[in-house]
Amino acid sequence: AATRAFTDGASTSLSSGDALGLYVLDSSGKVVSANVKFEYSGSTWNTTTPVPWSTSYKYYAYFPYQDSPVGGPAVGKTFSSTTADDVFASLVSSWTPKADQSTAANFIASDLCTALGSASSSKNISFVLKHKMGLICGRGISNYKLTTGSEYTFSGNSSYSPAFSGN
């Protein structure tokens, strides 16, 4: 199903029918469940796939869901560091935003978000999704080039000097 999320400025709100992917790592950092699809009903997240549960496990989510995400960690892979940035490093570096993001659907499909969840003994998991792609908003920007590295910077030959940096 197509994503139905919507954006308001720099924030994204999820809508009924949106989906995210869930990864589960056991206490040794080994992926025991990969890319489990959870769909949002408007009030709850649902899946038809059983998810292993333990308060010693770590739960990771990414949005928007893809059937076969390039760079998603495979079952059996072990991580020595289990931050969301480490677990999703390959997914983030392999993510290809849409070339044309002039529609809301294409913009949101390009807006990768990831999170490490907080699991409770009542089998609830809370996530705060963090945007992993840069966003540039502006008017009248011309002759500017976005360069990449450890930080993003603008360079150009216009009197308009926007401030932008990010990782």
Side-chain angles (χ1 to χ4, degrees):
T3 186
R4 292 160 193 74
F6 62 92
T7 60
D8 178 17
S11 65
T12 301
S13 298
L14 302 177
S15 300
S16 182
D18 284 338
L20 60 75
L22 180 81
Y23 288 82
V24 182
L25 275 63
D26 68 13
S27 58
S28 70
K30 183 171 134 184
V31 178
V32 295
S33 190
N35 203 35
V36 177
K37 183 178 183 179
F38 273 77
E39 192 167 315
Y40 189 55
S41 71
S43 59
T44 60
W45 289 93
N46 304 294
T47 186
T48 58
T49 305
V51 175
W53 179 260
S54 171
T55 54
S56 67
Y57 286 4
K58 291 188 176 182
Y59 298 85
Y60 302 82
Y62 78 94
F63 174 86
Y65 177 82
Q66 292 183 346
D67 287 330
S68 301
V70 175
V75 170
K77 180 175 175 76
T78 300
F79 291 88
S80 57
S81 176
T82 56
T83 67
D85 286 342
D86 291 325
V87 170
F88 287 125
S90 184
L91 176 72
V92 171
S93 67
S94 300
W95 194 262
T96 304
K98 303 278 186 185
D100 177 1
Q101 296 182 35
S102 62
T103 66
N106 281 355
F107 175 78
I108 291 163
S110 301
D111 187 20
L112 176 63
C113 299
T114 65
L116 167 60
S118 175
S120 71
S121 59
S122 61
K123 296 187 178 181
N124 289 319
I125 308 167
S126 298
F127 294 100
V128 176
L129 293 165
K130 295 181 181 177
H131 296 274
K132 303 311 285 185
M133 299 289 110
L135 174 63
I136 301 172
C137 298
R139 288 192 185 147
I141 297 174
S142 63
N143 299 321
Y144 278 89
K145 177 182 176 186
L146 181 64
T147 58
T148 60
S150 60
E151 290 192 3
Y152 300 101
T153 56
F154 264 132
S155 62
N157 59 2
S158 173
S159 61
Y160 180 69
S161 300
F164 177 79
S165 64
N167 295 348

